[in-house]
Amino acid sequence: MPRKKAAAAAAWEEPSSGNGTARAGPRKRGGPAGRKRERPERCSSSGAGTCKARCGGRGTVLPCPLHTTHLVHKLEGSKCKGQLLIFGATNWDLIGRKEVPKQQAAYRNLGQNLWGPHRYGCLAGVRVRTVVSGSCAAHSLLITTEGKLWSWGRNEKGQLGHGDTKRVEAPRLIEGLSHEVIVSAACGRNHTLALTETGSVFAFGENKMGQLGLGNQTDAVPSPAQIMYNGQPITKMACGAEFSMIMDCKGNLYSFGCPEYGQLGHNSDGKFIARAQRIEYDCELVPRRVAIFIEKTKDGQILPVPNVVVRDVACGANHTLVLDSQKRVFSWGFGGYGRLGHAEQKDEMVPRLVKLFDFPGRGASQIYAGYTCSFAVSEVGGLFFWGATNTSRESTMYPKAVQDLCGWRIRSLACGKSSIIVAADESTISWGPSPTFGELGYGDHKPKSSTAAQEVKTLDGIFSEQVAMGYSHSLVIARDESENEKEKIKKLPEYNPRTL
């Protein structure tokens, strides 16, 4: 069952909701490794005109390359429209920790576990087109239908972009980006990336490992800053725990941040021993192109895969997946629990072809990465899983079909630390091992966990346009086009978090 085609214009790739992919335009070949093209700085104006080039401070005004004709190509955001629902753990400072840090101790009793879907009271009238969190993240983002970015949750490293490090209980507009139209965003453990309609990327949050791509290493960057990048417009992004990936409109992939486990794809794990005899990392502080893609033959030969044109990228805590224009999947980084799908637990330093999807008619159409697992939707609609959600059980070492979801048409999928949520057909489906904190959405006085995929009955009659999941909370965009849909949403309880 093929996925609905997303609209697109010329060479632009439309960012799809969640980590899905949209194919569009003619196939583009990536340039040879190492060759850099100098380009004038992109203009942020919306019509034909001029913009200042990077000219050593001389201030020469050149025609903007994006505006040489009146056909200005802008990235488009998701076509979804609806209201935000939340469930799961909301004590942002405690999530994933045994104890709250001393400076956050006053917040210890704020936030609660929401066992079923809730509406945020403060978002009445706000229509949402994209929700974002991450399998390592205790913070979340939403993008409104007007392209404004809101954030809330944990904020010790300034990952909310509000210019401070105070945690925020409910969604709040990021004022520093209010002049931009945001089309997509991504959350790492303590950092955030935001993509504008003109293909520029802003970053904020923790930068100890260079994961913001600003050319330096700093503890916290609490306000949005543009990354150090001067190439083709960016069209897709993804964040691992402490690293970042960006993809340009030509299908080239760039990475920056922590190189541990080879997760940046540059054939190195960046480790070196410092004077104090402790292991440190040679981090990538600015975006660097991922130049080599390989496949391994049955007899162990390593062969280069040429002309890989990247169409989508997804990051787990310490691994990355890529989908290319030929519907092939590559994976690399930390190999533990089989999350790379190569039938072994070895770390991979460069992108390696996942064999299962490299056959005619067996290609992939969507990719998703969880904390310690990976998913792909095949071009005929089947869902495949590899890795582990329950690390105390046996791992799945290579892609296997998820039988529970056979025949469902998957629209959106998201992973938390160990839980999964899926929007498919008219239903929302979730599963995950104990312990859970409400992120499965089954409701009060219902089983808290499930090893098998189950429909979320608390969302019966509510159409989930898109789903997102943080470390232990879930976000859903509920469609609100008909009166009946609006009534169903209105019947859900309202969540108004306590604040200090």
Side-chain angles (χ1 to χ4, degrees):
M1 282 173 279
R3 196 166 176 246
K4 285 176 189 168
K5 284 184 180 167
W12 288 109
E13 295 294 323
E14 178 186 314
S16 57
S17 56
N19 276 336
T21 186
R23 279 193 196 84
R27 183 179 160 189
K28 302 276 175 186
R29 288 192 181 275
R35 187 192 296 172
K36 282 190 178 175
R37 290 175 59 203
E38 284 300 312
R39 286 174 59 88
E41 193 169 10
R42 286 190 305 284
C43 174
S44 60
S45 64
S46 58
T50 58
C51 65
K52 279 191 179 178
R54 291 202 168 125
C55 52
R58 293 191 300 276
T60 311
V61 175
L62 297 175
C64 173
L66 286 186
H67 297 148
T68 49
T69 71
H70 289 288
L71 285 170
V72 181
H73 295 303
K74 287 185 178 175
L75 287 166
E76 291 182 9
S78 158
K79 296 288 187 286
C80 298
K81 284 179 185 169
Q83 293 184 39
L84 175 74
L85 306 179
I86 183 169
F87 40 101
T90 64
N91 189 330
W92 309 118
D93 293 322
L94 195 53
I95 287 168
R97 292 171 168 161
K98 288 187 170 70
E99 189 48 61
V100 174
K102 277 180 188 161
Q103 66 270 29
Q104 311 292 330
Y107 290 114
R108 188 179 288 119
N109 299 318
L110 283 190
Q112 62 198 84
N113 290 348
L114 307 174
W115 296 101
H118 284 64
R119 295 172 291 125
Y120 263 115
C122 62
L123 288 178
V126 176
R127 298 197 82 206
V128 178
R129 75 173 181 207
T130 305
V131 286
V132 183
S133 194
S135 61
C136 311
H139 69 292
S140 304
L141 312 165
L142 67 83
I143 303 171
T144 67
T145 48
E146 294 84 31
K148 300 305 165 204
L149 186 65
W150 298 43
S151 64
W152 73 104
R154 189 182 294 173
N155 194 31
E156 287 155 35
K157 303 295 180 182
Q159 60 262 46
L160 301 186
H162 297 308
D164 58 32
T165 54
K166 296 175 190 161
R167 91 174 192 176
V168 176
E169 292 297 328
R172 193 172 113 200
L173 175 70
I174 300 177
E175 298 285 354
L177 290 173
S178 58
H179 60 292
E180 300 284 352
V181 176
I182 303 299
V183 292
S184 74
C187 294
R189 179 173 281 136
N190 294 307
H191 75 290
T192 304
L193 299 181
L195 176 66
T196 73
E197 65 177 356
T198 55
S200 299
V201 178
F202 288 86
F204 38 100
E206 187 171 38
N207 195 35
K208 266 186 191 162
M209 297 285 195
Q211 60 261 54
L212 299 188
L214 303 176
N216 57 20
Q217 287 170 275
T218 46
D219 185 49
V221 177
S223 296
Q226 202 162 345
I227 67 169
M228 283 187 72
Y229 169 81
N230 191 28
Q232 298 278 351
I234 299 304
T235 58
K236 292 266 171 81
M237 310 173 309
C239 291
E242 289 161 328
F243 69 101
S244 305
M245 296 274 165
I246 57 174
M247 182 196 100
D248 73 15
C249 61
K250 302 282 187 186
N252 297 305
L253 186 70
Y254 301 82
S255 62
F256 45 101
C258 177
E260 195 179 4
Y261 311 112
Q263 61 204 17
L264 296 186
H266 301 311
N267 205 19
S268 164
D269 62 5
K271 278 183 188 172
F272 68 91
I273 297 173
R275 274 186 188 166
Q277 293 299 302
R278 66 167 189 256
I279 290 175
E280 294 195 2
Y281 293 94
D282 198 6
C283 300
E284 293 289 343
L285 307 185
V286 295
R288 179 179 163 194
R289 186 166 167 251
V290 177
I292 304 163
F293 292 77
I294 64 158
E295 66 173 306
K296 284 189 186 173
T297 62
K298 279 181 181 170
D299 57 2
Q301 266 188 298
I302 296 174
L303 304 173
V305 180
N307 304 322
V308 174
V309 182
V310 178
R311 286 288 179 255
D312 199 12
V313 57
C315 295
N318 298 106
H319 76 291
T320 304
L321 302 177
V322 143
L323 180 66
D324 83 345
S325 58
Q326 295 178 46
K327 304 176 186 175
R328 297 176 296 195
V329 176
F330 295 83
S331 66
W332 67 99
F334 189 34
Y337 301 112
R339 73 195 79 182
L340 300 184
H342 303 308
E344 57 183 344
Q345 298 206 49
K346 196 171 138 289
D347 296 352
E348 297 290 341
M349 303 288 160
V350 294
R352 177 181 168 187
L353 185 69
V354 179
K355 283 280 199 285
L356 185 93
F357 303 102
D358 189 32
F359 293 95
R362 288 253 299 269
S365 64
Q366 303 169 53
I367 50 169
Y368 302 94
Y371 198 92
T372 54
C373 65
S374 306
F375 286 90
V377 178
S378 72
E379 59 187 307
V380 294
L383 180 66
F384 287 81
F385 166 84
W386 58 103
T389 52
N390 187 345
T391 52
S392 62
R393 290 196 171 193
E394 205 173 311
S395 304
T396 303
M397 300 300 293
Y398 55 90
K400 286 186 181 174
V402 180
Q403 298 298 341
D404 288 351
L405 285 168
C406 192
W408 292 84
R409 193 157 76 187
I410 291 163
R411 184 167 52 256
S412 176
L413 182 150
C415 311
K417 174 67 167 67
S418 56
S419 297
I420 316 295
I421 189 165
V422 178
D425 295 323
E426 301 297 312
S427 298
T428 308
I429 297 158
S430 68
W431 71 97
S434 183
T436 61
F437 304 90
E439 69 268 27
L440 301 181
Y442 297 152
D444 290 316
H445 316 300
K446 292 282 190 285
K448 302 290 187 265
S449 62
S450 172
T451 51
Q454 286 194 39
E455 287 188 65
V456 182
K457 297 293 186 192
T458 53
L459 286 170
D460 269 359
I462 292 173
F463 185 90
S464 297
E465 289 272 14
Q466 189 228 319
V467 292
M469 215 177 224
Y471 189 93
S472 53
H473 70 285
S474 297
L475 303 166
V476 169
I477 297 178
R479 189 174 68 189
D480 61 351
E481 284 170 9
S482 70
E483 285 307 314
N484 188 31
E485 286 172 338
K486 286 175 186 167
E487 280 303 311
K488 288 264 186 192
I489 295 168
K490 207 182 270 186
K491 283 179 184 169
L492 293 173
E494 192 171 278
Y495 177 52
N496 292 297
R498 290 173 296 155
T499 53
L500 283 180

